[in-house]
Amino acid sequence: MNHFFTITAIILSIVMVLPFYRLVVGPTVFDRMLGAGAIGSKTLVLLTIVGMLYGRVEMFIDIVIAYSLLNFIGVLAAAKYLEKKGIEP
């Protein structure tokens, strides 16, 4: 079973390259925000898989919840900042 989780984590890490490219190169600020959000959501799954690999799911679920809350607050803060600056999509 650990083999499955390891392969899934590797594939998920490879898939995270595409949003990272959008985060770095994105032509608009909203593309970059979208890339950051996609990386954040994939990181949640990756952290859960790492928790399963180490056999400490309960500890990693707490980390995932805290990380998801910080990710959500970060996106809201960035959206509010962009709204205040008057930047339109």
Side-chain angles (χ1 to χ4, degrees), residues 3-59:
H3 225 56
F4 173 74
F5 288 134
T6 304
I7 291 172
T8 304
I10 291 170
I11 290 172
L12 192 60
S13 298
I14 292 170
V15 168
M16 287 173 69
V17 171
L18 296 174
F20 185 74
Y21 175 77
R22 182 57 55 195
L23 178 70
V24 172
V25 178
T28 66
V29 134
F30 296 102
D31 290 332
R32 291 186 173 134
M33 283 182 56
L34 188 63
I39 289 173
S41 63
K42 287 173 183 35
T43 302
L44 298 176
V45 176
L46 192 62
L47 282 173
T48 306
I49 291 172
V50 169
M52 288 181 183
L53 284 174
Y54 283 106
R56 305 274 321 253
V57 177
E58 65 278 350
M59 183 181 85

Side-chain angles (χ1 to χ4, degrees), residues 72-84:
F72 178 69
I73 291 172
V75 168
L76 283 181
K80 200 73 172 165
Y81 173 76
L82 293 174
E83 181 185 30
K84 221 174 214 182

